[in-house]
Every structure is written in C-alpha cells, then in structure tokens.
Amino acid sequence: MGVEEIRQTWVEIDLDALAYNIESIKEKAGKDRAIIGVVKADAYGHGAVQTAQVLEEHGVDIFAVATVKEAMELRDAGFDEKILILGITSKSCDEIVVNEKLIPVIGSYNDALALSQKAQELDKDVSVMLALDTGMGRIGFVLRTMEDIIAAEDEISEIFGLDRLNVEGVISHFSKADEADRSYTESQLEIFNQFYEKLSSDGYSLPFLTIANSAAIMEYPKAYFDGVRPGIILYGCYPSDEVHKENLDIRPVMSVRANIVYVKNLPKGSAVSYGGVFTADRDMRVATVGIGYADGYPRSISGKAEMLVDGHRVPVIGRICMDQCMIDVTDLPQVCRGTQVTIMGKSGDDEISADELAEKAGTINYEILCDFGLRLDKRYIKKEEQQG
C-alpha cells in the first residue's frame, strides 16, 4: 500500500535542495573547515537518517544531535562518523556513550568524572567537548565574571587529569547572532577567544573549536574556527529576517501537500468548524483538507491561513481542527476530491513559506518545520524521483 493510500497529507523533502544547501554552506565556510551537520529533532522534521545520508555523500563527517537516543538512531542506521551530543547526557547513558564512541558536551567536573570512571571500567577511551557558557545561559562552564573564569579553569584543569577521557576541544553557542545589533555576539566571541587563549597559554591542548551556528556562518566569518554547525540553513530557511540573506544562497527543502478529501456546497449563513466563528457570507463551495494542529498546522493561524490550489491562494475558513481544516474553493470550480493543495511550498508562481506560517502563528520557522515532521509521512524527492 502506497503512502498516498494511508494518508492523503504528506511532507515532501527535496534532497536536491538539501544537497545544494550543503554545497553552498561549504563554499561559504571554506574547504578546509569541518562542517558539523546538525540533525537533531529528526533533522528539524526532515528525517535524520535520510538527511545524514545526503550530508555524508557531500563530505560531512561529523553530526550533531541533542540526545543519546538521536545519536543511536544514526548508529543503528550504520553511520560511523563522529556524533556530537549537544545536550547534557544522563550518567545512566555513560556506558552507551563510551561503547558507541559518542562525543558528549561536558559542563562540569562531576559529569566528566563519571564518564571517566565508566570508560576505565570498560577499558576504553572516551572523547568529550567542553561546553562554555559565553552568554547563552543554557549549559556549560559559566564565564560571566572573573570569579566564574577562575572556577571554570580550576574544574577544567581537573578534567584534563582524568584517565581514559580525551578533551577534543571547546564548544559554545551564540544567542543573538541572527540580530542586526552585533554588540552581544561580539562580546560572546571575545569571551570565547580569551578563555581559549588562557587555557592554551596554561598548556591545555584544545585541537577543535566550534561556536558558529547558522547565523554566525552567514554573518561572522571570524567565528568559524575549526568547524561550523549549520542547522536551519541546511534546510533552506534563514535564522531571522535580520541576517543578510545575500550572504548565502539556499533553497527550501520541505514542502507540505495534501489531497482534498471532501467537497460540499454550503448556503449563505452556514457556520464552519468549531465555535461557528466563521459564517459563509455567500453561497460557498467548501473543501476539507486532512491536516490539522496535530500535524503541525498551528491552530493559532485560524482565520489568517491560506493554502495554494493550482497556484491560487484560497483562505482557510473556520477554526483549524486536530486533523482537518476547511478552505473556500468557491472561485475554483475545477476543484474536486483528490485535487492537490499546497500547505507550505510552491505552487505555480506563488509560494507559502515556513516564514509566512511562522509569522502568522507568532513563532519561528524552526518550530514550523519541526512540527510538520512529527506526524506526517515523508516523501523524499531526488531528481524528480519519489522515495517512500
């Protein structure tokens, strides 16, 4: 049974667009710099395994995920590349981390000690990255005051003395690199540089430095260091409207489409969907589309959303339901059951972007992509061939 017979709504993943974006990022970052492909959250809803395959084909040999579970999905699929875990791992996962040669980020001596002890118990080595909090306020050794810096170096010096534990380098994360005001990012970068230089001058070897996220790849070449970590730009979306989009040419990878499942005629005055907040102001032809907020189509855009039918915009009417919503197709007499609609993506000369949906929902394009990828089936498109 084909995907279209199971569910008449799906996500399309354009693997050629993904490949194009990777090459564009590589050209921007420089050929000698490592590209760390961020495939956490199921590759932002695009499918981690399939995304990693394309990244691998284009020379990416380091992946970044958020959790041990995500890392194991890649290992189980046969990927033997380095896998960096961006979130703090539980001590209960230390054996998996060691055995599977995963690279966790470490933000405390106690976590490093536990990992070292597990590595010794298993008679194996384990590699880690030291996480530095240069201003994100999330995880890592805090570097806000001189007292913080002294305390961080004291802990790190102890980490370097642990058996069977190798420090590969340091990692940090920008919180405002996608904003036009550069002052905070410049401050974070200065803190990162100064602390690295202090550690180096004290004799600690840190062969790999990484701080550049998607926005920094576009805006801060001096933050590239040894490796950059593209996330949202891999998938063809810009991190904000404040970055210089001319700095990087990328193409959207995800589209969302559906086939109309029902069409009916409603007389003027008919209410549509929950609460009856929409009432037909004319005799109306209404089509039902099998997508709702459980599929990642935000209920908050009810009354504001549009879809594309044969390149024409049509309004979503009434409240978006959990699994379905309705559109006004009165002016498109050719529409019938089975007609394809575009929820996100291109149709004809028009396009509904993740940015447009995010703006209407009061959120960010990251969330739109991730949510669409949770429940809907994925179709992978490569050179006009569909892969289930």
Side-chain angles (χ1 to χ4, degrees):
M1 181 179 291
V3 170
E4 65 277 3
E5 297 176 77
I6 300 172
R7 184 85 191 273
Q8 297 185 71
T9 308
W10 64 94
V11 168
E12 282 182 3
I13 306 298
D14 184 344
L15 298 180
D16 292 324
L18 177 61
Y20 180 88
N21 296 343
I22 298 165
E23 291 301 319
S24 186
I25 293 163
K26 287 169 63 179
E27 182 179 357
K28 179 71 174 173
K31 63 179 182 179
D32 296 327
R33 190 161 282 107
I35 305 294
I36 303 168
V38 181
V39 293
K40 63 180 180 176
D42 199 29
Y44 293 43
H46 294 68
V49 170
Q50 294 84 353
T51 297
Q53 287 171 345
V54 177
L55 296 180
E56 183 182 57
E57 290 168 5
H58 288 265
V60 174
D61 58 5
I62 309 175
F63 300 121
V65 297
T67 67
V68 171
K69 182 180 180 180
E70 291 178 346
M72 288 309 302
E73 181 182 6
L74 297 181
R75 283 286 185 259
D76 291 343
F79 293 96
D80 59 5
E81 287 85 354
K82 290 182 176 182
I83 300 178
L84 177 62
I85 303 177
L86 299 174
I88 297 295
T89 59
S90 167
K91 291 182 176 66
S92 63
C93 295
D94 283 351
E95 184 168 348
I96 297 173
V97 168
V98 175
N99 282 331
E100 297 296 333
K101 297 182 180 179
L102 307 177
I103 306 174
V105 299
I106 294 293
S108 73
Y109 171 75
N110 286 336
D111 283 348
L113 175 61
L115 195 56
S116 169
Q117 290 171 340
K118 181 58 68 173
Q120 292 175 65
E121 176 187 322
L122 298 170
D123 194 24
K124 295 180 179 181
D125 292 329
V126 65
S127 295
V128 302
M129 293 285 287
L130 301 177
L132 306 181
D133 178 6
T134 57
M136 180 71 181
R138 191 162 59 183
I139 61 173
F141 295 99
V142 178
L143 304 177
R144 304 301 177 91
T145 67
M146 184 54 66
E147 289 77 12
D148 291 337
I149 293 170
I150 293 171
E153 187 172 12
D154 286 346
E155 278 199 72
I156 289 171
S157 67
E158 293 186 67
I159 290 173
F160 270 94
L162 294 172
D163 292 333
R164 307 304 298 262
L165 186 139
N166 303 316
V167 177
E168 290 220 348
V170 294
I171 182 171
S172 191
H173 192 70
F174 289 125
S175 62
K176 295 187 177 184
D178 60 348
E179 296 183 4
D181 184 346
R182 301 172 69 90
S183 57
Y184 195 82
T185 302
E186 293 286 358
S187 173
Q188 280 193 260
L189 188 55
E190 182 179 5
I191 292 169
F192 185 80
N193 271 317
Q194 289 179 349
F195 192 71
Y196 159 69
E197 290 170 359
K198 188 173 192 322
L199 290 176
S200 295
S201 66
D202 289 342
Y204 299 111
S205 175
L206 298 165
F208 194 86
L209 309 180
T210 176
I211 190 173
N213 55 7
S214 288
I217 291 169
M218 297 183 65
E219 302 290 330
Y220 295 88
K222 62 184 177 181
Y224 289 174
F225 295 104
D226 300 298
V228 298
R229 306 193 306 272
I232 193 72
I233 55 176
L234 275 176
Y235 308 105
C237 291
Y238 292 103
S240 79
D241 286 333
E242 295 184 48
V243 297
H244 294 85
K245 297 179 181 179
E246 66 273 14
N247 286 347
L248 186 70
D249 184 34
I250 50 177
R251 300 172 180 174
V253 176
M254 179 187 288
S255 300
V256 183
R257 307 192 196 279
N259 294 326
I260 287 173
V261 297
Y262 199 83
V263 182
K264 66 271 188 183
N265 296 312
L266 293 178
K268 180 179 179 179
S270 297
V272 176
S273 197
Y274 288 112
V277 295
F278 176 87
T279 302
D281 59 2
R282 57 175 174 168
D283 291 343
M284 188 171 285
R285 198 158 177 261
V286 175
T288 300
V289 181
I291 190 170
Y293 57 79
D295 304 300
Y297 199 46
R299 188 174 185 269
S300 60
I301 64 175
S302 299
K304 298 177 282 185
E306 295 175 305
M307 294 184 185
L308 295 172
V309 181
D310 297 330
H312 301 280
R313 285 190 176 241
V314 297
V316 176
I317 58 177
R319 288 178 176 156
I320 294 169
C321 309
M322 181 180 287
D323 316 293
Q324 302 174 87
C325 59
M326 283 64 77
I327 55 176
D328 177 4
V329 295
T330 308
D331 298 326
L332 298 175
Q334 76 275 21
V335 168
C336 61
R337 181 172 178 171
T339 296
Q340 186 177 113
V341 303
T342 296
I343 295 107
M344 185 177 78
K346 290 183 178 180
S347 175
D349 295 327
D350 204 350
E351 179 178 9
I352 295 174
S353 66
D355 291 319
E356 177 181 333
L357 294 177
E359 182 178 0
K360 289 178 177 179
T363 185
I364 54 177
N365 50 19
Y366 298 71
E367 185 175 358
I368 297 296
L369 298 183
C370 290
D371 286 354
F372 275 137
L374 290 174
R375 188 191 194 199
L376 297 176
D377 294 312
K378 299 179 181 68
R379 299 184 187 181
Y380 293 93
I381 310 298
K382 186 173 184 179
K383 294 181 180 177
E384 301 181 357
E385 294 182 1
Q386 290 192 4
Q387 304 172 11

